[in-house]
Amino acid sequence: MKFELVDRQGYIPDLNYGESGQELACFVPSAYTFQQTNYQNGEGEVLIDGHSWQFFFTQEGIGIKLLDGIVTLKEAEAFLQAIKSHIWGDAHQQVQIFMAGVTPK
């Protein structure tokens, strides 16, 4: 399952990457304990509660993909809302959350 966080104005704040081995802390809210499993050029994968998540940049915002594991829609929504608040802050209201997929040609 793939999601995108998109600011209507195209704004992504400067991300403060964590220290070596924890760079993706800029994406993961502090309430979540994670293990970084892959990192390259500002993007990568983390393991949270037995679920593998990938973080990457899209043309319009930030992509989050569940690579392995099962979550309910409610759990995914709570996680995405926490990421949105972590990156843009609670007061920023311009960010939309989308389920993303491949458009048929």
Side-chain angles (χ1 to χ4, degrees):
M1 188 174 306
K2 186 167 79 170
F3 304 94
E4 288 188 31
L5 299 178
V6 177
D7 178 280
R8 291 182 222 156
Q9 306 300 320
Y11 170 70
I12 299 176
D14 290 334
L15 298 174
N16 297 319
Y17 291 92
E19 59 189 60
S20 181
Q22 295 288 301
E23 292 91 350
L24 298 176
C26 62
F27 294 108
V28 181
S30 57
Y32 293 85
T33 302
F34 75 96
Q35 176 186 358
Q36 185 169 293
T37 58
N38 184 1
Y39 175 77
Q40 187 173 13
N41 297 325
E43 303 178 335
E45 299 168 11
V46 298
L47 188 62
I48 300 172
D49 294 330
H51 301 90
S52 293
W53 295 91
Q54 179 184 28
F55 294 94
F56 55 95
F57 295 99
T58 67
Q59 285 184 303
E60 299 171 338
I62 294 174
I64 300 112
K65 184 175 183 180
L66 177 63
L67 299 173
D68 186 37
I70 297 173
V71 296
T72 66
L73 189 54
K74 194 173 208 171
E75 290 170 326
E77 181 183 25
F79 184 52
L80 295 168
Q81 285 287 50
I83 293 168
K84 175 187 165 280
S85 293
H86 179 68
I87 294 174
W88 281 273
D90 291 323
H92 191 80
Q93 299 298 315
Q94 300 297 316
V95 178
Q96 296 177 324
I97 299 172
F98 294 100
M99 284 181 129
V102 177
T103 304
K105 294 183 180 191

